[in-house]
Amino acid sequence: CGGSISDSSGMLQSPFYPGSYPNNADCEWQIQVENNFRVTLTFRDIVMQSSTCQHDYIEIYDGPRHSSPLLGRLCSGSFPTYVSSSNMMTVRFHSDSRHSFRGFQAHYTSIPADHNTTLLCLPDYMHAVVSRDYLQSQGYSAQMVTLNDNLCRPTVTPREVVFNIPYNGCGTTREENNDTINYSNTIKITSSEHIIKRKKNINLHISCKMLQKTWKQVMYAAEDTIDVNEYQFGRYDMNITFYDSSAFSQQVRSSPYFIDLNQNLYLQACLHSSDPNLKVFVDTCVASPDPRDFNTLAYDIVRNGCPRDSSYTTFYSPYNHFARFKFNAFEFMSRHPSVYLKCELVVCRLGDYSSRCYRGCTTRAKRDTSSLEEKVDVVVGPIQRREGAAQSGS
């Protein structure tokens, strides 16, 4: 149960609904819709233990759970509607070890935010747009719109004032918390009247909250091709690429990637970001013959930074935005034509030695104390075994 959701509308429900939900469930859904839309969540059915909401309950957060306001906690009674203030909402369902009931069902949809201003959080910069109709309605012209840094000028079109604001410049500030790295700036709309002021100045505070935990998927095929399919749930842009040797100078571009059993596979994870104060760490990599199922028949290569496969090795990387590692093609490839690799990559603040990126192998289950950690899922594959290949190393 739980997971990341990016559809514009859909249904959430407790496990086995309308049957009884299991004991000791802890499900968390992160709903992230398009930029400049908001999430509306409406409950249609709630039948849970007690009305005090101490044992079994649903929590709704206005963004990521660990850093956003709690919009509501419920377990019975009326069927309320919740609206997020941004394009993200988190829903958590918890049950204890006692009684279980039918649970809940809810429907969510996305609604447009106002169109006076729009904001896109792109990999390298914030794209902020102010409507000139809005400016005119407030008695301002496009020439009165500036950033804190006056050297960073907007592009003015007949309908809009457009700023492309880098994450590491133009007065952008950065703040870390348990769930996100927040990049913020202020667009100022200031009257030019010097002696008598009849209009209020307007400050448009804009912020891009980059999710700290994201899964990316890359796929590799075991014969002689590399097909890379990737998607990201967070806003950090990351990918994983195969290389032909430990020198990491020549990318493998064939698709799918055909290999021999026990062949060394060299991979590089790369973070595409204009923020130089970030570091990447390979936390977990799991292999499976099914790109949609990394639980039923799966093989851990590394988990929580701890190697599970004896051939797994990390390499020095000259850049903090890269993480390099290798492992050998393994035996279950002899029984399955293709293998997919799903890796959880962690983005941390550079120099934060309490963060996940610097602690290496850890079995600690509780939440990190670091002020910044973002996880990204990447799936690579398929890797396919070369027909008639010998099982010797290469």
PDB file of all heavy atoms in Angstrom, residues 274-292:
ATOM      1  N   SER A 274      22.028  22.439 -11.128  1.00  0.00           N
ATOM      2  CA  SER A 274      22.929  23.597 -11.125  1.00  0.00           C
ATOM      3  C   SER A 274      23.449  23.911  -9.733  1.00  0.00           C
ATOM      4  O   SER A 274      24.295  24.781  -9.574  1.00  0.00           O
ATOM      5  CB  SER A 274      22.192  24.817 -11.695  1.00  0.00           C
ATOM      6  OG  SER A 274      21.078  25.133 -10.872  1.00  0.00           O
ATOM      7  N   ASP A 275      22.944  23.212  -8.715  1.00  0.00           N
ATOM      8  CA  ASP A 275      23.394  23.439  -7.340  1.00  0.00           C
ATOM      9  C   ASP A 275      24.668  22.627  -7.097  1.00  0.00           C
ATOM     10  O   ASP A 275      24.628  21.395  -7.067  1.00  0.00           O
ATOM     11  CB  ASP A 275      22.302  23.004  -6.362  1.00  0.00           C
ATOM     12  CG  ASP A 275      22.645  23.350  -4.914  1.00  0.00           C
ATOM     13  OD1 ASP A 275      23.821  23.674  -4.644  1.00  0.00           O
ATOM     14  OD2 ASP A 275      21.745  23.293  -4.062  1.00  0.00           O
ATOM     15  N   PRO A 276      25.813  23.272  -6.921  1.00  0.00           N
ATOM     16  CA  PRO A 276      27.062  22.526  -6.748  1.00  0.00           C
ATOM     17  C   PRO A 276      27.219  21.912  -5.360  1.00  0.00           C
ATOM     18  O   PRO A 276      28.111  21.093  -5.145  1.00  0.00           O
ATOM     19  CB  PRO A 276      28.143  23.591  -6.999  1.00  0.00           C
ATOM     20  CG  PRO A 276      27.496  24.865  -6.541  1.00  0.00           C
ATOM     21  CD  PRO A 276      26.029  24.737  -6.885  1.00  0.00           C
ATOM     22  N   ASN A 277      26.351  22.272  -4.416  1.00  0.00           N
ATOM     23  CA  ASN A 277      26.529  21.842  -3.023  1.00  0.00           C
ATOM     24  C   ASN A 277      25.728  20.593  -2.703  1.00  0.00           C
ATOM     25  O   ASN A 277      25.139  20.467  -1.626  1.00  0.00           O
ATOM     26  CB  ASN A 277      26.123  22.986  -2.086  1.00  0.00           C
ATOM     27  CG  ASN A 277      26.964  24.222  -2.296  1.00  0.00           C
ATOM     28  OD1 ASN A 277      28.180  24.167  -2.209  1.00  0.00           O
ATOM     29  ND2 ASN A 277      26.320  25.335  -2.596  1.00  0.00           N
ATOM     30  N   LEU A 278      25.696  19.648  -3.650  1.00  0.00           N
ATOM     31  CA  LEU A 278      24.964  18.403  -3.484  1.00  0.00           C
ATOM     32  C   LEU A 278      25.880  17.214  -3.749  1.00  0.00           C
ATOM     33  O   LEU A 278      26.844  17.320  -4.503  1.00  0.00           O
ATOM     34  CB  LEU A 278      23.767  18.339  -4.433  1.00  0.00           C
ATOM     35  CG  LEU A 278      22.711  19.441  -4.290  1.00  0.00           C
ATOM     36  CD1 LEU A 278      21.663  19.305  -5.381  1.00  0.00           C
ATOM     37  CD2 LEU A 278      22.057  19.398  -2.918  1.00  0.00           C
ATOM     38  N   LYS A 279      25.566  16.092  -3.139  1.00  0.00           N
ATOM     39  CA  LYS A 279      26.346  14.872  -3.298  1.00  0.00           C
ATOM     40  C   LYS A 279      25.385  13.704  -3.516  1.00  0.00           C
ATOM     41  O   LYS A 279      24.278  13.692  -2.969  1.00  0.00           O
ATOM     42  CB  LYS A 279      27.189  14.610  -2.047  1.00  0.00           C
ATOM     43  CG  LYS A 279      28.055  13.350  -2.102  1.00  0.00           C
ATOM     44  CD  LYS A 279      28.884  13.207  -0.841  1.00  0.00           C
ATOM     45  CE  LYS A 279      29.669  11.893  -0.815  1.00  0.00           C
ATOM     46  NZ  LYS A 279      30.628  11.781  -1.921  1.00  0.00           N
ATOM     47  N   VAL A 280      25.804  12.707  -4.324  1.00  0.00           N
ATOM     48  CA  VAL A 280      24.975  11.545  -4.644  1.00  0.00           C
ATOM     49  C   VAL A 280      25.560  10.296  -3.991  1.00  0.00           C
ATOM     50  O   VAL A 280      26.780  10.124  -3.936  1.00  0.00           O
ATOM     51  CB  VAL A 280      24.894  11.330  -6.170  1.00  0.00           C
ATOM     52  CG1 VAL A 280      24.062  10.097  -6.493  1.00  0.00           C
ATOM     53  CG2 VAL A 280      24.292  12.544  -6.830  1.00  0.00           C
ATOM     54  N   PHE A 281      24.668   9.419  -3.502  1.00  0.00           N
ATOM     55  CA  PHE A 281      25.081   8.156  -2.880  1.00  0.00           C
ATOM     56  C   PHE A 281      24.141   7.049  -3.351  1.00  0.00           C
ATOM     57  O   PHE A 281      22.925   7.250  -3.448  1.00  0.00           O
ATOM     58  CB  PHE A 281      25.003   8.293  -1.351  1.00  0.00           C
ATOM     59  CG  PHE A 281      25.308   7.028  -0.590  1.00  0.00           C
ATOM     60  CD1 PHE A 281      26.591   6.523  -0.519  1.00  0.00           C
ATOM     61  CD2 PHE A 281      24.283   6.339   0.063  1.00  0.00           C
ATOM     62  CE1 PHE A 281      26.865   5.363   0.186  1.00  0.00           C
ATOM     63  CE2 PHE A 281      24.546   5.183   0.770  1.00  0.00           C
ATOM     64  CZ  PHE A 281      25.850   4.692   0.832  1.00  0.00           C
ATOM     65  N   VAL A 282      24.706   5.875  -3.675  1.00  0.00           N
ATOM     66  CA  VAL A 282      23.904   4.718  -4.065  1.00  0.00           C
ATOM     67  C   VAL A 282      23.517   3.972  -2.788  1.00  0.00           C
ATOM     68  O   VAL A 282      24.352   3.336  -2.155  1.00  0.00           O
ATOM     69  CB  VAL A 282      24.678   3.793  -5.023  1.00  0.00           C
ATOM     70  CG1 VAL A 282      23.808   2.592  -5.414  1.00  0.00           C
ATOM     71  CG2 VAL A 282      25.122   4.550  -6.258  1.00  0.00           C
ATOM     72  N   ASP A 283      22.242   4.058  -2.412  1.00  0.00           N
ATOM     73  CA  ASP A 283      21.780   3.451  -1.169  1.00  0.00           C
ATOM     74  C   ASP A 283      21.392   1.986  -1.372  1.00  0.00           C
ATOM     75  O   ASP A 283      21.817   1.111  -0.622  1.00  0.00           O
ATOM     76  CB  ASP A 283      20.587   4.236  -0.623  1.00  0.00           C
ATOM     77  CG  ASP A 283      20.080   3.695   0.698  1.00  0.00           C
ATOM     78  OD1 ASP A 283      20.583   4.151   1.740  1.00  0.00           O
ATOM     79  OD2 ASP A 283      19.201   2.811   0.694  1.00  0.00           O
ATOM     80  N   THR A 284      20.568   1.709  -2.380  1.00  0.00           N
ATOM     81  CA  THR A 284      20.024   0.362  -2.576  1.00  0.00           C
ATOM     82  C   THR A 284      19.902   0.076  -4.063  1.00  0.00           C
ATOM     83  O   THR A 284      19.461   0.950  -4.827  1.00  0.00           O
ATOM     84  CB  THR A 284      18.633   0.245  -1.911  1.00  0.00           C
ATOM     85  OG1 THR A 284      18.773   0.453  -0.502  1.00  0.00           O
ATOM     86  CG2 THR A 284      18.001  -1.120  -2.161  1.00  0.00           C
ATOM     87  N   CYS A 285      20.283  -1.138  -4.496  1.00  0.00           N
ATOM     88  CA  CYS A 285      20.046  -1.597  -5.863  1.00  0.00           C
ATOM     89  C   CYS A 285      19.513  -3.022  -5.802  1.00  0.00           C
ATOM     90  O   CYS A 285      20.105  -3.888  -5.145  1.00  0.00           O
ATOM     91  CB  CYS A 285      21.327  -1.586  -6.702  1.00  0.00           C
ATOM     92  SG  CYS A 285      21.796   0.056  -7.292  1.00  0.00           S
ATOM     93  N   VAL A 286      18.391  -3.243  -6.472  1.00  0.00           N
ATOM     94  CA  VAL A 286      17.732  -4.547  -6.488  1.00  0.00           C
ATOM     95  C   VAL A 286      17.532  -4.964  -7.936  1.00  0.00           C
ATOM     96  O   VAL A 286      17.111  -4.157  -8.769  1.00  0.00           O
ATOM     97  CB  VAL A 286      16.362  -4.477  -5.773  1.00  0.00           C
ATOM     98  CG1 VAL A 286      15.702  -5.834  -5.739  1.00  0.00           C
ATOM     99  CG2 VAL A 286      16.531  -3.926  -4.364  1.00  0.00           C
ATOM    100  N   ALA A 287      17.826  -6.235  -8.261  1.00  0.00           N
ATOM    101  CA  ALA A 287      17.646  -6.758  -9.604  1.00  0.00           C
ATOM    102  C   ALA A 287      16.412  -7.649  -9.653  1.00  0.00           C
ATOM    103  O   ALA A 287      16.085  -8.332  -8.676  1.00  0.00           O
ATOM    104  CB  ALA A 287      18.871  -7.555 -10.039  1.00  0.00           C
ATOM    105  N   SER A 288      15.725  -7.640 -10.803  1.00  0.00           N
ATOM    106  CA  SER A 288      14.523  -8.460 -10.976  1.00  0.00           C
ATOM    107  C   SER A 288      14.317  -8.724 -12.462  1.00  0.00           C
ATOM    108  O   SER A 288      14.672  -7.890 -13.299  1.00  0.00           O
ATOM    109  CB  SER A 288      13.296  -7.732 -10.404  1.00  0.00           C
ATOM    110  OG  SER A 288      12.098  -8.386 -10.787  1.00  0.00           O
ATOM    111  N   PRO A 289      13.714  -9.881 -12.816  1.00  0.00           N
ATOM    112  CA  PRO A 289      13.368 -10.116 -14.218  1.00  0.00           C
ATOM    113  C   PRO A 289      12.116  -9.366 -14.655  1.00  0.00           C
ATOM    114  O   PRO A 289      11.783  -9.359 -15.832  1.00  0.00           O
ATOM    115  CB  PRO A 289      13.142 -11.634 -14.269  1.00  0.00           C
ATOM    116  CG  PRO A 289      12.713 -11.996 -12.894  1.00  0.00           C
ATOM    117  CD  PRO A 289      13.450 -11.066 -11.964  1.00  0.00           C
ATOM    118  N   ASP A 290      11.413  -8.733 -13.720  1.00  0.00           N
ATOM    119  CA  ASP A 290      10.163  -8.034 -14.024  1.00  0.00           C
ATOM    120  C   ASP A 290      10.312  -6.563 -13.656  1.00  0.00           C
ATOM    121  O   ASP A 290      10.502  -6.232 -12.480  1.00  0.00           O
ATOM    122  CB  ASP A 290       9.012  -8.662 -13.228  1.00  0.00           C
ATOM    123  CG  ASP A 290       7.659  -8.061 -13.592  1.00  0.00           C
ATOM    124  OD1 ASP A 290       7.619  -7.000 -14.246  1.00  0.00           O
ATOM    125  OD2 ASP A 290       6.633  -8.664 -13.213  1.00  0.00           O
ATOM    126  N   PRO A 291      10.235  -5.622 -14.612  1.00  0.00           N
ATOM    127  CA  PRO A 291      10.436  -4.204 -14.291  1.00  0.00           C
ATOM    128  C   PRO A 291       9.322  -3.617 -13.442  1.00  0.00           C
ATOM    129  O   PRO A 291       9.451  -2.510 -12.935  1.00  0.00           O
ATOM    130  CB  PRO A 291      10.475  -3.532 -15.673  1.00  0.00           C
ATOM    131  CG  PRO A 291       9.684  -4.437 -16.553  1.00  0.00           C
ATOM    132  CD  PRO A 291       9.934  -5.832 -16.044  1.00  0.00           C
ATOM    133  N   ARG A 292       8.209  -4.348 -13.267  1.00  0.00           N
ATOM    134  CA  ARG A 292       7.096  -3.847 -12.454  1.00  0.00           C
ATOM    135  C   ARG A 292       7.053  -4.465 -11.065  1.00  0.00           C
ATOM    136  O   ARG A 292       6.227  -4.094 -10.247  1.00  0.00           O
ATOM    137  CB  ARG A 292       5.764  -4.137 -13.169  1.00  0.00           C
ATOM    138  CG  ARG A 292       5.614  -3.438 -14.502  1.00  0.00           C
ATOM    139  CD  ARG A 292       4.409  -3.933 -15.278  1.00  0.00           C
ATOM    140  NE  ARG A 292       4.506  -5.363 -15.551  1.00  0.00           N
ATOM    141  CZ  ARG A 292       5.201  -5.896 -16.547  1.00  0.00           C
ATOM    142  NH1 ARG A 292       5.871  -5.083 -17.367  1.00  0.00           N
ATOM    143  NH2 ARG A 292       5.260  -7.190 -16.730  1.00  0.00           N
TER     144      ARG A 292
END
